Amino acid sequence: MTRSDLVARLAERFSQLTHRDAEFAVKTIVDAMSDALARGHRIEIRGFGSFSVSRRPPRIGRNPRSGEQVTIPEKRVPHFKPGKALREAVDASQADAPPPADDASAD
């Protein structure tokens, strides 16, 4: 689902919201979450999951073209941990669905 899909679904579900209002609501929520993570805060949405910022330490990598060693600096990256209710909902939906086709067996 993309951001525009979410906006469209919100506008459909809540008839009192115009498409523009739904778009503004989604943008406001995403911006608030981005700002909170940028400041190093943790976001928890009960029943859905939590977002936090993880630290990746600096390391030595290799340039794939030349094989030369390259220093990769420390990074802070967003991390999502699904909540119990979301994990159970996904698991339950997978039990009803047929198994995915294995592309490796097409050789």
Side-chain angles (χ1 to χ4, degrees):
M1 175 180 275
T2 63
R3 177 186 269 195
S4 57
D5 293 339
L6 179 60
V7 168
R9 188 162 302 176
L10 278 173
E12 285 173 16
R13 187 164 179 188
F14 299 101
S15 59
Q16 67 272 21
L17 283 179
T18 64
H19 191 277
R20 175 178 267 171
D21 290 340
E23 188 173 0
F24 180 74
V26 170
K27 182 182 180 337
T28 301
I29 290 170
V30 170
D31 289 347
M33 292 173 71
S34 298
D35 291 344
L37 289 172
R39 290 191 312 264
H41 295 275
R42 184 173 178 271
I43 302 166
E44 182 178 335
I45 303 172
R46 300 281 168 139
F48 183 70
S50 61
F51 297 86
S52 60
V53 177
S54 296
R55 177 186 162 272
R56 286 192 187 160
R59 61 190 173 91
I60 302 295
R62 292 205 177 273
N63 180 330
R65 288 191 179 182
S66 65
E68 177 184 340
Q69 286 191 343
V70 178
T71 303
I72 300 172
E74 175 180 335
K75 290 183 180 183
R76 291 177 30 179
V77 294
H79 175 75
F80 175 71
K81 181 178 177 187
K84 182 180 177 184
L86 178 60
R87 286 193 315 265
E88 289 174 352
V90 169
D91 188 41
S93 70
Q94 291 298 317
D96 298 337
D102 186 12
D103 291 338
S105 63
D107 292 58

